[in-house]
Amino acid sequence: SSVPGHNAMASSCPLGYAKKTPSAEAAGGSSSSSCPLGDSTPVAPSKVDDTAQLSRERETSTIPSADGSNFMYPSEKQFFSSATAKGHELDPKDMSMVIAIHNAVNEKTWQDILKYEKLHEKECAEPKLIRFLGRPGELTPKARLLSFFGRTLPFDRHDWHVDRCGKQMRYVVDFYDGKHSPEHPVSIHIDARPEVSFGGLQDRFLHWAKSFV
């Protein structure tokens, strides 16, 4: 892929470091999928000088958490430290672009989820994200089926668990490399939809039907 830090983003958390509380629970995921703030794995010596210039500023997302506060995205420094600790190769000079892509992808994912949640706005006007789980390497049935017809496999998969005013809903998200062009050198296609269940399939059909109205 032409996206800097693509592999690191594929195996990192969808929201990185979640809220202001540095714990796996606050991050909305289990220890296997969260990125704790207290990661003390040393950075390779060759990277020390470069990483000193990485920003420590964090951006607040538009995604509300279960307690009402919005999730926070990781800083350049946090993302770089977590990714390199997992063995990924990243150039510190690319981190501003990596963070921008990472944040934009998650904002778009949430907006796509809200399109389904809007079907239930009378029931719940303000859905919230409870937790998320990165599941790289685990193909969804849809992704596996489409691959038989020649579609490339997604480079990542997430499960986002949403609180619909007391009812927990699970959304499955596949991330694909999109079509690149001179005007859009970075392109990621997001396929977010409700899980396969009676209610989930019903929402998929209603969402599809509304596209023709």
Side-chain angles (χ1 to χ4, degrees):
S1 170
S2 62
V3 180
H6 180 284
N7 291 333
M9 287 190 289
S11 62
S12 62
C13 314
L15 290 177
Y17 295 83
K19 301 178 292 179
K20 299 171 185 176
T21 306
S23 67
E25 182 179 1
S30 66
S31 59
S32 63
S33 63
S34 62
C35 304
L37 286 171
D39 190 339
S40 59
T41 305
V43 178
S46 61
K47 300 290 185 181
V48 171
D49 292 339
D50 291 337
T51 60
Q53 304 302 317
L54 292 177
S55 172
R56 296 176 182 272
E57 293 184 7
R58 300 172 66 187
E59 179 180 338
T60 302
S61 77
T62 65
I63 306 172
S65 67
D67 68 8
S69 64
N70 285 18
F71 283 88
M72 294 187 70
Y73 291 122
S75 67
E76 293 178 11
K77 177 69 172 177
Q78 290 171 328
F79 194 107
F80 183 88
S81 296
S82 177
T84 53
K86 295 176 182 178
H88 298 292
E89 291 290 333
L90 282 176
D91 188 337
K93 297 183 180 65
D94 290 331
M95 286 312 300
S96 61
M97 181 183 293
V98 170
I99 289 294
I101 295 170
H102 172 272
N103 296 359
V105 165
N106 286 290
E107 290 293 322
K108 181 61 168 62
T109 299
W110 182 243
Q111 291 305 312
D112 286 353
I113 288 174
L114 289 182
K115 291 177 182 178
Y116 289 99
E117 287 299 308
K118 190 173 178 61
L119 298 171
H120 305 274
E121 61 182 344
K122 291 183 179 179
E123 171 189 346
C124 184
E126 189 179 0
K128 299 177 175 66
L129 179 64
I130 303 171
R131 65 181 182 276
F132 48 78
L133 180 66
R135 302 175 67 178
E138 295 185 46
L139 290 179
T140 62
K142 180 179 180 180
R144 191 183 301 276
L145 177 63
L146 291 177
S147 71
F148 293 142
F149 294 95
R151 183 168 186 176
T152 57
L153 294 175
F155 65 80
D156 198 12
R157 177 248 176 109
H158 294 159
D159 285 2
W160 290 38
H161 295 261
V162 174
D163 174 18
R164 185 185 292 162
C165 295
K167 180 187 290 187
Q168 183 170 319
M169 313 304 298
R170 182 170 71 99
Y171 284 83
V172 180
V173 189
D174 285 321
F175 298 92
Y176 295 87
D177 282 317
K179 294 182 179 180
H180 307 291
S181 68
E183 295 78 19
H184 301 92
V186 175
S187 179
I188 296 175
H189 174 69
I190 302 166
D191 184 4
R193 68 273 186 194
E195 67 177 334
V196 177
S197 65
F198 177 77
L201 292 175
Q202 185 178 51
D203 282 358
R204 291 192 197 189
F205 175 78
L206 290 174
H207 181 266
W208 172 79
K210 283 173 68 70
S211 66
F212 294 97
V213 177

